[in-house]
Amino acid sequence: MRPAWARTGPSYSCARRYNNNSMSTSTFQGDSPLKVAAQELNLRVDCADLALKLRLPRDGENKGNFENPKHVGRPKTLACYPDSGKGSKWKDFRTDQHGGPIDLLMLHGGMDFASAVKELAGMYGVTIAPRGQPAVQARKSTAEFIADNCLRDARGPQAQEVVDYLVSRGIEPFAIDDAIKKGTLGLNLWNSPTAQRGEVNWGGPAAAFVVRGQKTGQVVAVDMRYFNPADNGGVKTQSQGEKARYPWCSDWRRLEAAKTVYVVESSINVLSIESCQLPGVAAISLRGTGNVETIDWAFLRGKQVVGCMDNDLPFETGPHTGYCAGLKAFWRLHEILTGLDISCLMVDQGDWKDDDDQPVNDVNDLLKARGPDDTAKALRKLQDWLIPGMVGNDERWGKPRLYLPHHDYLVYWKYRVQADFTKVIGKTTKDEETGTEKHDYGDVCGFRVAAVARVKIASPTSTMTGEADSSARTVFAVSVQSARHGPVLQRRVLEDDQLHNLEVWKKFGNVMAPLPFGRMLNVWERAVDIGARHAVNFVGLAWRDGVPVVNEGSDCFFQDPKQQCPYSELAFPSGTPANGRAVLLAYGYTFKSNAALIPLVWALGAHLKAYLGYWPHFVLQAEKSSGKSTLLKRMERSIAMSMFSGQSLETAFRMLTSISYTSHPVGWEEISARKQELIDRAVSNLQECYQYTHTRRGAALTDFLLCAPVMLAGEDVPVKSLIGKVVKSTLTTDRQGDQMPEDLVQFPVREWLQYLAATGKSTTREIFAEQQAHMELNCSAKLADAGAKRMLTNYAAVGTAWAMLCDFTGLDPQTGNFLSDLTVEMNAHIMDSSSDRQPWVWITEKLLSEIAAGNFRHPYKFDTEDDTPVLCVRTGHIMDHMSQSPALRDFWNQLPVKSDRVYKKALETQGVLAAENIERTIQGRRVSYLVALSLPMLEKFGLHAVEPKGYER
């Protein structure tokens, strides 16, 4: 039975951040996309408006009944009327036909239900979502409304105005046409009715650069560049919508296919670069130097980035006096991109001058002055200084990026780099006639050192809890670009004594001249503060300086990444909350009772360990041919989860490397088929991973942080001692539902983690408290049962993940009765394991087995006590037998209870002890200090005693 709070909906304290649109509720059991869309249409479409669109004859112009389309020429008796907040209805009083807007369309066109829904949805702009997704008619934002008007005007009778303006700025017509066709360039013709011409915010004709999200294509902002700034109070540019986080790109598809991406400050410079028709090149604009910090640059991975900021003069006053704004923005861009392993170089603007030998400010000014061919040549000429953005001569403007001591500055100018090669000037000769200098270059190394940065790595405790760091350590991260890896920087983490070890550097490529190379490293040591950072070695949601952050593989600084973390190269799948909703619904449909959705929610919620301090493991048991392997492969694809086969876990060390430094879940398949020794080690590791454990292994004392939640998949998962630290789901053939579509999108794990980071710990724990109260209310076991209460908190954690996933994706928490099915699984798990989770049961079960086999050599007797059948035995003898029998050595090592006093106390607590300190005569000897174990009570726990063959009472 569904709990009361699930019917009314929980009062979550976390505000919806990703979807504020109202939407219809769907369930996994029946509401098809057409039905959901039909409900939306019946609520929103006015029957009278539809009748007018269908051109049904009517009595009177604005009122009166309509003609029934099936009875042309007959009296007009079809009336349309509102239905008290439930939409609009119609009724023909002559034929008694009635219905809603869909029925009216079916009546008019003779359509079936599905065709009518699709036709009506098209007429009123309502989207029929993929299966399980609600139909949504989003309300347009201000930026979208402005963009629609600007795009319409760019194709209207005055469209030539924006073309003429941009052509006057040197932009080629084809670049303008492409941007207009892609919906990223429009024409603004609006001016304020309240302001006068010449006042700020009057507006007027302007080129409108429409900013769209890369993944969604949704309009987020519109940037205006006014043709005549004087009409707008001297303001040349203005923006409507989101200013931060979003760059402007004329064509995101072109950027995805490009090999080289230029980053400029303003959008007109993007069109200027595109006018040069550089092959394999795309461009984006920052829309202001302040946006360098706010943009997520991960989408540029795998591309060569070239910075081409404005060639500004230094500030004369203010806190940035002496610095050039464009150059300083490039410095920060270089730091950020290098941290993401993205190669970043800079255009050499030293000879950007016009015909009057005056400096040219930006790409558009250069294009207007020189034309596209010369501008293309200028864009291809890149700075070749050792440190990007750090000029090695006296021709620089403003303050330098780095102040070098005199002895380092004297050698700095000699080094020259290409994207993936380094040279040094060996000899300089001067032509006496012309006065020009000629340099002889020598090869230094077959790669380019992109960065040497000091990195302070947080301790495991600070990483997992957010507490003040008391044992951080410092390493050096070196990033190198080589020919074999293209624009993807290769990173290694070096200890202090490794920084000048040539053998380490030779792993990147050939070092041709060791002495100049060593001198170059001396210079780079001065630049370790460029890109210096505090980091956490963790893949998932972690704490850095007390703040929750999302860490991917590229954000970590492992010394041995392949061993220390299974996700050291992971980039989380990215997308929109709508993608996440589609994935959740697809998993809900594929197995009944949410048997497939529960493990997916568990896997996505695993990152809540940073807030809750623990996360249970998952046991996925399945019948043969029930679809377990298919589901696991789907999960690998949906959330980039790694499954490890039993063969890949043949050693304890391999097992260790699969669960370190991450909260992203991993999977172990068929662990029950391994040797018992390996199973024991696996269980021990899982015990430590329930929370986290920091350890060092190997001769080099390599660091490992055991914390990954593990999915144990198989027909029989041996986790008896882990009952209190797992949740489970069972796949059966009779639970199988619809197959998931082959082209199902990935879940947006990156955005999900960003949502968790924004939600925070306190809000998460409030939701967890609500879920825990719900589970306690519906738990079948007594709360005095400590084992059951611990299992309850595990399922409450999964419930918390579901509640937050619903908030993230816009799903109703009641969708598919997920919480009800989770509660059923919890109660079944608690009841099935009522005996398995008690160590005294394991000991007693083994005792009865040893007695039945005749292996128990200590005194015992089957007797009665107050007419109750009992087994008389000493608890000390039981524990002695377990510890001293060679055949029971592995069993004894696994036991969490090894004291007869604790064992005896557990028997008494469970009511199994019928009597204690009794005496019996056994085989002619009087034995004292026995306890009497009630055989009927043992049977209630599934323990059945068998008298051995030849036993005499």
Side-chain angles (χ1 to χ4, degrees):
M1 178 178 176
R2 183 181 295 180
W5 78 269
R7 292 195 295 272
T8 58
S11 56
Y12 302 135
S13 51
C14 61
R16 192 171 299 267
R17 292 173 170 81
Y18 283 82
N19 197 323
N20 294 320
N21 302 319
S22 61
M23 56 184 65
S24 302
T25 302
S26 64
T27 67
F28 298 143
Q29 281 71 22
D31 286 2
S32 67
L34 286 176
K35 184 176 178 181
V36 174
Q39 294 170 352
E40 197 78 15
L41 289 165
N42 283 329
L43 286 173
R44 297 191 179 192
V45 177
D46 181 75
C47 287
D49 180 72
L50 176 60
L52 292 173
K53 287 181 181 292
L54 297 176
R55 298 184 179 179
L56 297 183
R58 185 179 194 182
D59 287 334
E61 294 183 2
N62 299 319
K63 59 183 179 179
N65 295 336
F66 293 90
E67 180 184 84
N68 190 320
K70 294 300 183 184
H71 300 280
V72 179
R74 304 295 296 271
K76 300 175 178 62
T77 54
L78 191 150
C80 299
Y81 56 92
D83 186 24
S84 61
K86 297 180 181 179
S88 176
K89 300 292 184 182
W90 63 270
K91 182 176 181 178
D92 190 336
F93 293 94
R94 186 175 60 82
T95 63
D96 209 35
Q97 292 174 296
H98 60 89
I102 296 174
D103 300 300
L104 181 58
L105 189 59
M106 292 170 65
L107 180 71
H108 175 267
M111 305 177 184
D112 58 14
F113 175 81
S115 300
V117 171
K118 293 176 182 177
E119 179 72 15
L120 195 62
M123 293 173 64
Y124 284 87
V126 173
T127 302
I128 300 178
R131 176 165 185 157
Q133 291 189 16
V136 179
Q137 190 175 29
R139 188 176 167 185
K140 289 186 178 180
S141 65
T142 302
E144 289 174 315
F145 177 77
I146 295 173
D148 286 347
N149 291 334
C150 293
L151 295 174
R152 183 191 64 240
D153 291 337
R155 298 181 177 94
Q158 295 177 272
Q160 194 61 33
E161 291 187 26
V162 69
V163 176
D164 292 343
Y165 170 74
L166 292 175
V167 168
S168 71
R169 297 295 309 173
I171 310 297
E172 294 292 329
F174 70 84
I176 301 170
D177 292 341
D178 287 347
I180 292 174
K181 289 177 182 177
K182 295 298 181 182
T184 53
L185 176 64
L187 170 63
N188 176 67
L189 296 174
W190 180 89
N191 57 274
S192 173
T194 58
Q196 299 295 322
R197 184 190 295 269
E199 294 181 354
V200 176
N201 294 328
W202 180 80
F209 297 94
V210 180
V211 184
R212 296 182 180 272
Q214 180 187 5
K215 300 181 182 68
T216 63
Q218 183 179 0
V219 175
V220 294
V222 181
D223 295 338
M224 308 294 183
R225 186 182 180 99
Y226 293 99
F227 301 164
N228 189 0
D231 290 345
N232 193 41
V235 178
K236 184 172 69 173
T237 59
Q238 283 183 322
S239 183
Q240 295 287 340
E242 293 278 354
K243 183 65 176 176
R245 298 186 295 132
Y246 296 98
W248 184 82
C249 179
S250 67
D251 185 354
W252 282 110
R253 294 201 175 198
R254 179 193 296 147
L255 183 137
E256 290 173 1
K259 295 181 179 179
T260 303
V261 177
Y262 281 79
V263 179
V264 295
E265 289 188 34
S266 59
S267 301
I268 198 170
N269 289 330
V270 173
L271 295 179
S272 301
I273 292 175
E274 291 174 356
S275 298
C276 298
Q277 293 184 287
L278 296 170
V281 168
I284 58 173
S285 68
L286 295 173
R287 304 172 58 226
T289 55
N291 266 357
V292 172
E293 297 281 358
T294 65
I295 295 172
D296 183 356
W297 296 101
F299 68 92
L300 292 178
R301 283 194 172 114
K303 303 183 186 300
Q304 175 66 59
V305 177
V306 179
C308 188
M309 307 303 175
D310 291 356
N311 194 21
D312 300 309
L313 292 172
F315 289 106
E316 296 182 359
T317 58
H320 303 293
T321 300
Y323 287 105
C324 303
L327 188 58
K328 197 168 186 180
F330 171 79
W331 298 343
R332 184 59 186 139
L333 176 68
H334 171 258
E335 288 186 30
I336 294 173
L337 293 181
T338 302
L340 295 172
D341 298 331
I342 300 171
S343 173
C344 181
L345 298 172
M346 181 178 176
V347 173
D348 187 351
Q349 299 174 323
D351 57 354
W352 280 30
K353 296 181 180 180
D354 58 18
D355 295 336
D356 298 327
D357 202 34
Q358 295 299 313
V360 173
N361 182 258
D362 60 14
V363 182
N364 185 247
D365 291 338
L366 187 68
L367 178 68
K368 189 177 178 182
R370 295 190 185 178
D373 292 338
D374 283 352
T375 302
K377 293 178 182 178
L379 290 172
R380 291 193 186 98
K381 185 179 179 182
L382 307 181
Q383 277 193 1
D384 57 359
W385 300 108
L386 186 63
I387 301 173
M390 171 70 179
V391 178
N393 55 37
D394 295 333
E395 297 177 3
R396 67 173 184 266
W397 288 2
K399 295 181 179 179
R401 186 176 190 181
L402 179 70
Y403 285 101
L404 292 174
H406 183 68
H407 61 280
D408 284 335
Y409 188 73
L410 288 177
V411 298
Y412 175 76
W413 73 274
K414 295 183 178 182
Y415 290 95
R416 296 290 189 272
V417 298
Q418 282 77 45
D420 50 22
F421 202 85
T422 305
K423 293 184 177 183
V424 65
I425 296 175
K427 183 179 180 181
T428 301
T429 57
K430 187 173 183 179
D431 190 323
E432 295 181 358
E433 294 182 0
T434 63
T436 58
E437 292 183 345
K438 181 180 179 182
H439 302 305
D440 293 333
Y441 292 95
D443 296 339
V444 176
C445 55
F447 51 85
R448 175 179 69 92
V449 178
V452 178
R454 183 190 296 112
V455 181
K456 185 178 180 182
I457 299 179
S459 65
T461 300
S462 178
T463 299
M464 297 300 297
T465 65
E467 296 178 359
D469 200 345
S470 57
S471 56
R473 65 191 185 94
T474 300
V475 295
F476 295 92
V478 296
S479 297
V480 164
Q481 183 173 358
S482 60
R484 63 184 182 275
H485 292 290
V488 180
L489 300 182
Q490 304 304 299
R491 183 198 300 171
R492 290 185 189 274
V493 178
L494 306 181
E495 295 285 354
D496 191 74
D497 57 351
Q498 295 177 302
L499 195 56
H500 284 273
N501 188 334
L502 281 183
E503 296 305 316
V504 174
W505 288 97
K506 286 179 180 179
K507 294 180 181 179
F508 288 115
N510 190 13
V511 178
M512 297 102 166
L515 290 179
F517 183 82
R519 188 68 183 94
M520 181 184 72
L521 291 182
N522 285 137
V523 176
W524 265 112
E525 283 184 288
R526 303 289 182 182
V528 293
D529 287 329
I530 296 178
R533 72 206 80 175
H534 289 189
V536 291
N537 276 348
F538 195 84
V539 178
L541 183 66
W543 295 90
R544 184 177 65 210
D545 298 330
V547 177
V549 294
V550 179
N551 246 37
E552 295 184 330
S554 60
D555 299 317
C556 301
F557 296 86
F558 298 112
Q559 288 184 276
D560 194 349
K562 291 183 179 180
Q563 288 191 358
Q564 287 182 279
C565 180
Y567 295 121
S568 59
E569 298 177 349
L570 176 64
F572 290 118
S574 186
T576 65
N579 296 147
R581 183 166 60 246
V583 173
L584 293 178
L585 293 173
Y587 275 78
Y589 280 117
T590 197
F591 273 90
K592 299 175 184 176
S593 302
N594 292 300
L597 183 57
I598 290 174
L600 177 66
V601 172
W602 166 86
L604 292 169
H607 298 280
L608 292 175
K609 175 177 279 194
Y611 294 154
L612 302 182
Y614 76 97
W615 194 257
H617 303 294
F618 197 95
V619 174
L620 183 65
Q621 300 202 167
E623 296 177 350
K624 279 289 185 184
S625 304
S626 61
K628 171 180 67 75
S629 297
T630 303
L631 177 61
L632 293 176
K633 289 299 178 186
R634 273 291 183 176
M635 289 188 65
E636 287 185 81
R637 292 165 57 183
S638 295
I639 62 172
M641 172 181 169
S642 292
M643 294 294 301
F644 295 92
S645 65
Q647 291 181 344
S648 64
L649 301 172
E650 283 291 351
T651 66
F653 185 75
R654 289 184 186 177
M655 196 175 293
L656 190 75
T657 60
S658 70
I659 53 176
S660 178
Y661 279 112
T662 182
S663 58
H664 200 56
V666 299
W668 289 355
E669 288 194 81
E670 300 294 350
I671 195 68
S672 59
R674 303 301 106 194
K675 296 179 181 179
Q676 186 60 45
E677 179 184 0
L678 194 64
I679 293 176
D680 295 343
R681 291 184 178 180
V683 170
S684 176
N685 285 329
L686 293 176
Q687 294 276 10
E688 295 179 346
C689 285
Y690 183 70
Q691 294 180 337
Y692 71 93
T693 301
H694 179 229
T695 183
R696 292 183 174 89
R697 303 289 173 89
L701 292 179
T702 304
D703 281 288
F704 292 94
L705 180 62
L706 309 185
C707 54
V710 179
M711 173 175 284
L712 301 161
E715 295 179 54
D716 181 21
V717 182
V719 289
K720 194 172 182 179
S721 60
L722 281 174
I723 291 296
K725 296 182 179 179
V726 299
V727 295
K728 75 178 186 69
S729 183
T730 304
L731 304 181
T732 58
T733 53
D734 61 334
R735 282 185 170 185
Q736 290 177 344
D738 299 337
Q739 288 189 353
M740 283 183 272
E742 188 61 28
D743 58 349
L744 182 66
V745 295
Q746 286 185 301
F747 190 92
V749 180
R750 181 178 177 83
E751 285 71 20
W752 161 241
L753 295 183
Q754 289 171 344
Y755 162 83
L756 293 181
T759 301
K761 183 176 182 178
S762 59
T763 301
T764 301
R765 294 199 70 88
E766 288 175 10
I767 302 172
F768 173 67
E770 293 178 11
Q771 293 292 330
Q772 197 169 11
H774 161 65
M775 292 298 179
E776 290 177 356
L777 185 65
N778 294 274
C779 182
S780 60
K782 297 179 180 179
L783 295 182
D785 185 343
K789 192 167 184 178
R790 186 181 200 179
M791 295 173 69
L792 180 149
T793 60
N794 292 333
Y795 283 91
V798 179
T800 302
W802 170 252
M804 299 182 76
L805 281 167
C806 289
D807 186 56
F808 169 65
T809 61
L811 273 179
D812 192 306
Q814 302 177 47
T815 301
N817 293 325
F818 178 88
L819 290 174
S820 297
D821 291 334
L822 183 66
T823 305
V824 170
E825 286 284 358
M826 177 191 72
N827 286 327
H829 194 188
I830 289 174
M831 299 309 294
D832 292 344
S833 62
S834 58
S835 59
D836 290 345
R837 62 176 180 268
Q838 303 288 347
W840 72 267
V841 175
W842 312 339
I843 298 171
T844 308
E845 183 180 32
K846 187 63 68 175
L847 167 68
L848 298 179
S849 177
E850 291 291 287
I851 289 175
N855 295 331
F856 191 70
R857 304 302 181 188
H858 296 278
Y860 67 92
K861 186 173 185 177
F862 289 96
D863 204 349
T864 59
E865 182 74 20
D866 296 332
D867 298 327
T868 300
V870 296
L871 170 63
C872 301
V873 67
R874 276 188 189 174
T875 55
H877 288 164
I878 296 173
M879 304 308 286
D880 287 344
H881 178 77
M882 301 296 170
S883 63
Q884 296 172 8
S885 298
L888 300 180
R889 174 58 55 187
D890 291 336
F891 173 76
W892 172 259
N893 290 337
Q894 293 181 60
L895 281 178
V897 173
K898 290 184 170 65
S899 166
D900 68 299
R901 294 188 302 275
V902 176
Y903 173 58
K904 184 177 179 180
K905 181 66 176 178
L907 294 172
E908 183 180 1
T909 302
Q910 297 299 324
V912 176
L913 212 60
E916 56 181 320
N917 294 329
I918 61 174
E919 294 186 359
R920 290 291 189 273
T921 299
I922 303 174
Q923 295 181 350
R925 294 182 298 170
R926 195 69 176 171
V927 182
S928 57
Y929 301 110
L930 301 173
V931 296
L933 306 183
S934 172
L935 298 183
M937 288 298 297
L938 290 178
E939 290 177 358
K940 291 183 179 181
F941 289 92
L943 304 173
H944 303 277
V946 177
E947 296 182 5
K949 185 177 180 180
Y951 174 77
E952 295 182 1
R953 287 185 176 272

